[in-house]
Amino acid sequence: MATDIRLAYADIDEALFDVNQIPMTSRDVRSVGEMLFDVDYLARQLLMDVDGDAAGTLLRSWPTMVAAAEDLWVSLPGRRPGVDERDRPITSLSAQAATIETSLSGRTAWPGQGPTSPRIDQMTQTFLNAAALVRRYGAEIPHEQPAAHRDLEAARTRIMHGLYLTAHAVNVALHEHGRDRVNDARSAGRQIHLAQHHSPYAIAPTGVWVDRMSACENTARSYLTDRFTQALAGEAMRPVDDPSRLAQALANWDIQTHRALARDLEPSNVLLITRTQGLIAGASMVLVDAAATAGVLACSDRLIPAIAEAGRSWSNLASRWGDLAPPGARLEEPLARAAAEVRAAYRQITHDKTVLATPEVIAIRPALPQAVPATLRAIEGGSELAVVVAEKADAPNLIGPARALSRRAHNDVEAGLATAPASGRDVVWVSPADILAERMVPVPAPVSEAIRAASSATSAAAIAASAVAALHGLGGGTLPVGSGWCMGHEVREPHAMFGTRPSGPSR
């Protein structure tokens, strides 16, 4: 089951526009399976980035996410009447989350009332979008067939795995919050009572929340045990119905990034932009390798190393902008949707279910001949985008969370990435009072210096990659089918560029 992949146009004449260059999308075009994979991706990213300052926002967001996941779960076709054993885990998890929501309601003690996590909220909205899609098209799924049954089981597993990763991320944040409180108390010479369960840093009042989130995490884990790998092996892949999908996604991404950067500076948006540019670089390397295998791209010993260096630079810059983004910062919805579509469009070509496909498999996919020049254009356009992002590092009055900036400032000085104080003594770059109160503070000098240096390095790497990509994408590097040989790779015939539709429904 898949969404309508045609673009939604608002009162315009399609004949007057090149749809490959100006995609005016107004809705999510991903399939349910792609949405569930993206929840998994976002949960993994959250787990990698989580810190103690985000514990309160994550905890407040958790019950709503579970409710949205349960809504999707029960909307999946093929449920048996009455009590279904498969539904017990999500029902139990929903009940646990509901009690957490009740305890949080009207609470004045930590975490109290406040903003929710935009990252969990994004996953929650993805679950809701998927549920709406299932309700609209679920009747078309022949759930009684074995292939469809396996695909639906994979969907349930994806839902539960996303919840498991998120619950673990909330738990990690709670532990880090306790650790921060212990360190703050020791620095101030205060005594603090350490707990003896789960972690010595699970101090009051976080210890109670650790217990409750651990129960949620264990419920999700019990469902996945001895099931995860086997269930996902039955996942159906969405067929490549539109070979131009990646080109459209990247064109829309370019539009949305420039619109976001033209507005007021929001570190959370810059973080998403830099992180997605790193993803584009990584996926481009995979496509270039497959294109050389297929013989549709002239081989080069400069292209992949240049893209790899640009990708590393974008990822390093993303980690620094991540320090400036507060836990409750919101993403612009069009930008977040465009980034999600870029991830889905790349994965449709580069992955085989849960793993990266081999170059030989990617080489025979029908979207590859259009995907390669599209991804090279994105690499080429990355040079201009890097310059715009670098300008943001020079913006006056940059601020960020006190604790994250304090750690980054000391680390940059110790690593030699920023100028050490002339006195040679340790400098308190951020006030302990600001750290304890979790305030937003001006960016310290070492952090400002290092982020400008990282921005310059990213611009240089992106410009170098752009120059090499332009030679391949626009200067004749791509070869038409039937043009001969490329470094020992025979060019495929047209019929070899089209795969067959996999068995089972495409979610």
Side-chain angles (χ1 to χ4, degrees):
M1 177 181 63
T3 58
D4 181 2
I5 63 173
R6 293 175 299 178
L7 302 178
Y9 289 86
D11 301 323
I12 62 174
D13 188 344
E14 293 186 31
L16 297 179
F17 296 89
D18 179 359
V19 296
N20 290 324
Q21 299 299 325
I22 312 177
M24 303 293 186
T25 58
S26 62
R27 64 173 181 268
D28 197 335
V29 299
R30 295 173 295 167
S31 69
V32 173
E34 289 169 342
M35 291 180 187
L36 294 180
F37 180 86
D38 206 48
V39 168
D40 197 90
Y41 169 85
L42 294 171
R44 291 175 188 273
Q45 290 291 327
L46 176 64
L47 185 56
M48 289 182 357
D49 299 340
V50 73
D51 59 25
D53 287 348
T57 61
L58 295 175
L59 187 59
R60 286 189 290 266
S61 303
W62 169 249
T64 307
M65 180 182 180
V66 175
E70 183 186 30
D71 182 48
L72 172 58
W73 186 292
V74 300
S75 68
L76 294 175
R79 296 181 71 229
R80 303 185 187 96
V83 178
D84 192 335
E85 191 66 27
R86 295 174 304 183
D87 296 340
R88 291 188 185 279
I90 192 67
T91 303
S92 176
L93 193 59
S94 178
Q96 292 167 339
T99 60
I100 291 177
E101 184 174 29
T102 301
S103 298
L104 289 171
S105 178
R107 184 181 177 88
T108 57
W110 190 92
Q113 303 302 301
T116 56
S117 167
R119 303 176 74 171
I120 291 187
D121 292 347
Q122 185 178 358
M123 290 185 274
T124 299
Q125 188 59 51
T126 303
F127 277 142
L128 293 175
N129 292 346
L133 198 61
V134 170
R135 287 192 177 92
R136 182 175 181 182
Y137 297 104
E140 301 175 9
I141 297 179
H143 56 83
E144 69 281 354
Q145 295 183 3
H149 177 79
R150 289 193 297 268
D151 195 33
L152 289 167
E153 185 59 28
R156 296 185 186 92
T157 303
R158 284 278 186 204
I159 294 170
M160 192 62 73
H161 193 248
L163 293 172
Y164 170 68
L165 290 175
T166 305
H168 187 57
V170 177
N171 246 333
V172 171
L174 289 169
H175 282 286
E176 289 301 311
H177 177 74
R179 184 191 301 270
D180 292 340
R181 290 191 61 206
V182 169
N183 291 337
D184 291 342
R186 288 173 176 170
S187 299
R190 302 192 311 269
Q191 291 186 347
I192 193 165
H193 178 69
L194 300 182
Q196 300 301 318
H197 63 298
H198 292 298
S199 165
Y201 299 109
I203 59 175
T206 55
V208 174
W209 296 114
V210 168
D211 287 337
R212 299 178 72 172
M213 285 305 305
S214 295
C216 294
E217 184 178 339
N218 290 335
T219 299
R221 182 177 58 196
S222 64
Y223 179 87
L224 297 170
T225 302
D226 300 328
R227 181 194 302 263
F228 182 74
T229 304
Q230 181 180 358
L232 292 189
E235 191 173 34
M237 288 185 60
R238 176 181 183 177
V240 183
D241 298 319
D242 183 5
S244 67
R245 182 185 185 187
L246 180 61
Q248 295 168 357
L250 290 172
N252 189 43
W253 170 248
D254 183 68
I255 292 171
Q256 297 303 334
T257 54
H258 284 84
R259 286 178 177 172
L261 292 171
R263 302 188 183 98
D264 294 336
L265 176 61
E266 291 291 345
S268 56
N269 290 330
V270 181
L271 170 61
L272 178 60
I273 290 170
T274 50
R275 179 170 283 162
T276 303
Q277 288 298 124
L279 180 143
I280 290 173
S284 296
M285 294 167 59
V286 175
L287 292 182
V288 166
D289 188 25
T293 300
V296 296
L297 184 70
C299 301
S300 168
D301 57 358
R302 297 173 55 203
L303 183 57
I304 287 185
I307 296 176
E309 180 59 29
R312 284 191 292 268
S313 297
W314 279 115
S315 296
N316 177 53
L317 188 58
S319 71
R320 294 188 169 276
W321 278 101
D323 291 335
L324 274 65
R330 296 286 151 187
L331 291 172
E332 289 194 12
E333 184 179 348
L335 183 70
R337 187 167 59 242
E341 174 59 12
V342 167
R343 294 192 295 266
Y346 269 120
R347 181 178 179 268
Q348 190 178 28
I349 306 171
T350 61
H351 279 67
D352 186 5
K353 295 184 179 179
T354 59
V355 299
L356 191 68
T358 64
E360 292 75 19
V361 170
I362 299 173
I364 61 173
R365 289 184 171 168
L368 184 65
Q370 292 191 42
V372 172
T375 202
L376 291 178
R377 284 196 299 269
I379 295 297
E380 184 183 357
S383 61
E384 186 267 344
L385 187 61
V387 172
V388 178
V389 172
E391 292 177 353
K392 300 300 181 182
D394 293 325
N397 303 322
L398 278 178
I399 61 173
R403 191 183 303 276
L405 293 184
S406 176
R407 287 172 175 167
R408 178 67 80 171
H410 287 286
N411 290 341
D412 285 344
V413 171
E414 290 180 4
L417 300 176
T419 304
S423 63
R425 304 179 192 175
D426 288 336
V427 175
V428 177
W429 299 105
V430 179
S431 164
D434 290 334
I435 295 175
L436 185 61
E438 299 182 359
R439 296 190 182 105
M440 299 292 289
V441 299
V443 173
V447 178
S448 179
E449 179 184 348
I451 197 172
R452 286 197 298 268
S455 298
S456 298
T458 301
S459 295
I463 289 171
S466 174
V468 181
L471 291 175
H472 287 75
L474 301 177
T478 51
L479 302 176
V481 174
S483 62
W485 293 74
C486 168
M487 298 287 288
H489 293 293
E490 185 178 5
V491 178
R492 310 287 179 129
E493 293 301 322
H495 65 81
M497 288 295 175
F498 294 88
T500 58
R501 183 185 181 96
S503 60
S506 175
R507 292 181 284 109

